[in-house]
Amino acid sequence: MRHLAAYLLLVVGGNATPTAEDVTTLLGTAGIEVDSDRLQTLITDLEGKSLAELATLGRDKLYVGGGGVASGSAPSAAPAGGAAAPVVEKKEEKPKEEEVDALDGGMDMFGGSGGGSDY
């Protein structure tokens, strides 16, 4: 992925056909180690191809999932006879948390009597 990112940065920067040496130099300036075998495979695969065309071809392969929210439980089976069962939504109540006084049993930061008489 780092090799492809560097290749794309070079293309956006004006180098229409970056070489393996160009990518190695860019990654080296950022202190990133280069995997020569993977880089050579990338350069070979992209040689003579337009990135715009590759992006267009790849767009068809992308999975676009639904944006819906998953429900908390599975839907129940419909009752026999074809009549739809009424949907009842259950609202979960959050348990109420009691607030704890941070000064309970001690003194406050400025020496007042914030609830405790230890001093």
Side-chain angles (χ1 to χ4, degrees):
M1 194 59 128
R2 61 184 174 247
H3 303 104
L4 179 59
Y7 186 92
L8 293 173
L9 280 172
L10 289 166
V11 171
V12 170
N15 185 348
T17 55
T19 63
E21 184 178 336
D22 295 333
V23 173
T24 302
T25 302
L26 176 62
L27 291 174
T29 58
I32 299 172
E33 190 175 318
V34 176
D35 182 345
S36 299
D37 294 334
R38 286 187 176 207
L39 177 58
Q40 193 56 47
T41 301
L42 175 72
I43 297 295
T44 303
D45 288 347
L46 295 177
E47 190 174 339
K49 296 179 182 172
S50 164
L51 290 179
E53 291 175 13
L54 291 173
T56 302
L57 292 173
R59 189 174 296 148
D60 296 337
K61 295 180 182 181
L62 289 176
Y63 171 75
V64 180
V69 178
S71 66
S73 62
S76 60
V87 177
V88 178
E89 288 189 32
K90 293 182 182 178
K91 291 189 178 184
E92 294 183 30
E93 291 185 28
K94 293 182 181 179
K96 292 189 177 187
E97 295 180 22
E98 292 184 28
E99 292 184 22
V100 177
D101 185 8
L103 302 176
D104 194 25
M107 63 186 252
D108 73 7
M109 193 165 113
F110 300 106
S113 59
S117 60
D118 294 342
Y119 298 100

